């Protein structure tokens, strides 16, 4: 199985901060990675697909980068509605595997 | 607008079979570009991918669950289903159905259904 190591597991930030979350794959996965946002009691919502493509309707302050084994999700200026948990997912190889999640909390 | 809706019992006894159905509206299960997946999330824990099914019936399972999981599809009803046998308390989780475009991840999710395994 491909292991996805996501960091940090949590972070505290303020509105307006730049936030960076990383995912590292245990082997190369090309750009077969997507990022999701989950708020309590709701299903995840896709933010980024194919590592760097912004999902339609998602604000441009979200961006993704990376290829191979190292990937980054960046929120350029954190907004109040962005406090949530973020997950990466690799879909290069079965079984599909998720990162452990990053909880973004208010400082 | 595409919607997925999970249905099934919210409580299952240990050693019994968990059965869930996902009803898709707003799109056809016969799409050649998509897979239909089940994912679960135990309370406070990480996501675990359970498996995928293609409209022609091709299936892919997580090896950790493969001996207990069966996915099926009913294109006439635009539904796909999950059966998980011999459940234990560790199978207690929120279960989600989702649509996946090959190499692009999950673009639509159901709202999820909480299944508790308890006597």
């Amino acid at each position: 199985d491909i292991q996805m190591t996501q960091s940090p597991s949590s972070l505290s930030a303020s509105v307006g901060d730049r936030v960076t979350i990383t995912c590292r794959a245990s082997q190369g996965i090309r750009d077969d990675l997507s990022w999701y946002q989950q708020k309590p009691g709701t299903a995840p919502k896709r933010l980024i697909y194919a590592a760097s493509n912004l999902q339609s309707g998602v604000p441009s302050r979200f961006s993704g980068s990376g290829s191979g084994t190292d990937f980054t999700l960046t929120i350029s200026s954190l907004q109040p509605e962005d406090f949530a948990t973020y997950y990466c997912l690799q879909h290069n190889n079965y079984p599909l595997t998720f990162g452990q999640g990053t909880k973004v909390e208010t400082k | 607008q595409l919607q997925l809706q999970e249905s099934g019992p919210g409580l299952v006894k240990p050693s019994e079979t968990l059965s869930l159905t996902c009803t898709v509206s707003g799109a056809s299960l016969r799409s050649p570009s998509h897979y239909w997946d089940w994912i679960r999330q135990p309370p406070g824990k990480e996501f675990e991918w359970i498996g995928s099914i293609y409209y022609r019936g091709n299936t892919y399972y997580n090896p950790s669950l493969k001996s207990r999981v069966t996915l099926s599809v009913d294109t006439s009803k635009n539904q796909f289903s999950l059966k998980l046998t011999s459940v234990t308390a560790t199978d207690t989780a929120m279960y989600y159905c989702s649509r996946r475009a090959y190499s692009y991840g999950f673009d639509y999710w159901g709202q999820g259904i909480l299944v508790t395994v308890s006597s």
Side-chain angles (χ1 to χ4, degrees):
Chain A
D1 298 6
I2 297 175
Q3 307 303 316
M4 301 302 296
T5 303
Q6 187 173 340
S7 61
S9 57
S10 66
L11 64 91
S12 297
S14 301
V15 172
D17 284 354
R18 182 181 183 87
V19 169
T20 299
I21 299 168
T22 64
C23 259
R24 173 163 288 177
S26 59
Q27 65 188 68
I29 59 170
R30 302 184 305 182
D31 64 352
D32 296 333
L33 181 121
S34 46
W35 289 97
Y36 300 83
Q37 176 193 67
Q38 187 182 34
K39 296 182 179 178
T42 68
K45 168 188 170 184
R46 189 175 68 176
L47 303 174
I48 301 287
Y49 63 94
S52 59
N53 292 271
L54 191 66
Q55 173 73 30
S56 175
V58 172
S60 59
R61 61 181 179 272
F62 290 92
S63 64
S65 64
S67 183
T69 60
D70 293 307
F71 301 87
T72 300
L73 173 70
T74 300
I75 309 171
S76 60
S77 177
L78 195 68
Q79 297 302 299
E81 59 269 30
D82 301 336
F83 291 100
T85 303
Y86 295 84
Y87 296 91
C88 61
L89 164 74
Q90 72 80 18
H91 31 85
N92 175 262
N93 214 350
Y94 293 115
L96 309 187
T97 46
F98 290 84
Q100 302 93 324
T102 297
K103 187 173 184 179
V104 177
E105 300 173 299
T106 183
K107 185 180 287 183
Chain B
Q1 174 73 350
L2 190 152
Q3 291 186 321
L4 299 96
Q5 179 69 57
E6 304 88 351
S7 59
L11 181 65
V12 181
K13 290 183 168 55
S15 79
E16 295 190 346
T17 296
L18 181 161
S19 296
L20 297 176
T21 295
C22 183
T23 301
V24 179
S25 57
S28 173
L29 276 181
R30 292 180 178 270
S31 167
S33 306
H34 296 97
Y35 293 83
W36 304 92
D37 290 45
W38 289 95
I39 305 112
R40 70 181 184 179
Q41 186 179 33
K45 294 188 178 180
E46 302 163 24
F47 286 102
E48 180 177 33
W49 175 76
I50 299 171
S52 293
I53 190 163
Y54 193 58
Y55 78 96
R56 291 181 175 176
N58 313 64
T59 53
Y60 306 87
Y61 298 132
N62 193 323
S64 67
L65 297 168
K66 186 174 183 178
S67 64
R68 299 194 291 131
V69 171
T70 302
L71 300 190
S72 60
V73 62
D74 186 338
T75 54
S76 66
K77 295 182 179 178
N78 226 35
Q79 294 176 333
F80 61 106
S81 298
L82 162 71
K83 288 191 188 300
L84 180 66
T85 62
S86 305
V87 297
T88 68
T90 59
D91 294 308
T92 293
M94 186 71 80
Y95 285 76
Y96 296 96
C97 60
S98 184
R99 187 181 82 162
R100 177 168 58 93
Y102 187 74
S103 288
Y104 295 137
F106 303 116
D107 57 354
Y108 288 93
W109 296 66
Q111 65 184 27
I113 183 168
L114 178 62
V115 179
T116 301
V117 178
S118 175
S119 55

